[in-house]
Amino acid sequence: MKLKRVLLTLAFFALAMPSAAQNPLIADLSEHQIQITTGFTGTQVLLFGTVEPDSDVVVVVRGPEEDTAVWRKARFAGIWVNDQRVVFRRVPSFFAVRSSAPLDEIASDTIRARHGMGANFLRLRPIEDTVSDFELAEFRAGLIRNKQREGLFASSDERINFLGGQLFRTRLFFPANVPTGFYDVEVFMLRDGRVEHAQTTPLIVSKAGLGADVFYFAHGYSAFYGLLAIVLAAAAGALAAFIFRKT
């Protein structure tokens, strides 16, 4: 697999160089689909491309958006319980950023906020305004911490590596609990702090094999799946009782 990726990278660079004058930014992925099978422990996808000389590159990966609830715990009678929650709308289920240099050195806060270059610049807005601005900031920070703890908001400092000044590459890691769906891999070419060119490449994460069949059956026929689970559990219990009674 590593040899295949290396050969793919070299072939891409050889094809991309003649057209670099017409396309200042060219980028692609080593694979455009990730299949989650039984025993899936995560995977890496190679992103590579070419840009104009003396440019910086930023890569932003976004997973499918979903409403996400964040709870705040409080202590009552010596027990920690969920006290208050805020539901944020359209939160990326997965988020990662890679850059060829520290982001605060190559892009202003305005540029980073406009393109979501960093978890702190995501537009995390609540469905209902039920808390103060100060509390909302705390809930936002809690959401980011939770996602980072789950490995779904990448906090790695891994950089984009340049080869020869124009060719670049980086690795994108997707953990075992990566959500399924359609992903956007955005590549930005910056010069003097400005975004001059951008490109979006799609990536699909899907389940495959027996695990996928069970997953789709459970979601497509939830009532029948629940009934079948009860029947199987009862049958297993009856069989165990019969075996132990015999012994």
Side-chain angles (χ1 to χ4, degrees), residues 48-75:
F48 49 89
T50 178
V51 292
E52 292 181 339
D54 302 322
S55 300
D56 292 297
V57 178
V58 177
V59 175
V60 179
V61 184
R62 300 171 187 267
E65 296 179 339
E66 58 186 8
D67 294 344
T68 304
V70 180
W71 286 90
R72 181 173 64 186
K73 292 185 178 295
R75 191 165 184 169

Side-chain angles (χ1 to χ4, degrees), residues 185-202:
V185 181
E186 299 175 285
V187 183
F188 301 93
M189 189 187 88
L190 291 81
R191 181 174 291 169
D192 298 327
R194 300 188 307 272
V195 175
E196 295 196 350
H197 298 279
Q199 175 184 324
T200 301
T201 301

Side-chain angles (χ1 to χ4, degrees), residues 19-188:
S19 59
Q22 293 79 20
N23 300 286
L25 169 62
I26 302 175
D28 202 359
L29 300 169
S30 59
E31 50 191 303
H32 291 268
Q33 183 174 11
I34 297 175
Q35 293 188 340
I36 301 177
T37 57
T38 304
F40 178 76
T41 59
T43 188
Q44 290 185 345
V45 175
L46 178 66
L47 183 145
F48 49 89
T50 178
V51 292
E52 292 181 339
D54 302 322
S55 300
D56 292 297
V57 178
V58 177
V59 175
V60 179
V61 184
R62 300 171 187 267
E65 296 179 339
E66 58 186 8
D67 294 344
T68 304
V70 180
W71 286 90
R72 181 173 64 186
K73 292 185 178 295
R75 191 165 184 169
F76 292 96
I79 301 176
W80 288 98
V81 297
N82 290 329
D83 176 41
Q84 188 177 15
R85 77 166 188 170
V86 171
V87 180
F88 292 92
R89 70 177 74 219
R90 302 185 62 180
V91 178
S93 57
F94 180 89
F95 183 78
V97 177
R98 295 285 186 271
S99 59
S100 57
L103 280 170
D104 56 359
E105 296 180 5
I106 62 177
S108 64
D109 288 350
T110 302
I111 295 296
R112 295 175 65 183
R114 182 179 304 165
H115 299 284
M117 296 178 180
N120 294 330
F121 293 94
L122 289 175
R123 298 182 179 93
L124 302 177
R125 296 172 179 170
I127 293 180
E128 298 180 355
D129 295 328
T130 58
V131 295
S132 65
D133 291 342
F134 176 78
E135 291 176 312
L136 184 59
E138 290 185 330
F139 276 99
R140 280 200 189 99
L143 170 61
I144 294 173
R145 284 196 305 271
N146 292 342
K147 289 288 190 178
Q148 289 177 339
R149 190 180 304 117
E150 296 170 0
L152 298 177
F153 275 22
S155 56
S156 173
D157 293 329
E158 183 176 346
R159 302 294 182 202
I160 297 174
N161 298 318
F162 272 95
L163 305 173
Q166 290 182 256
L167 312 179
F168 66 87
R169 59 173 290 171
T170 188
R171 295 173 298 169
L172 305 174
F173 177 73
F174 296 88
N177 59 336
V178 60
T180 58
F182 291 88
Y183 286 61
D184 287 330
V185 181
E186 299 175 285
V187 183
F188 301 93

Side-chain angles (χ1 to χ4, degrees), residues 180 207 209-221 225:
T180 58
K207 293 182 179 292
L210 178 61
D213 296 336
V214 174
F215 176 84
Y216 292 121
F217 177 75
H219 284 74
Y221 305 92
Y225 177 81

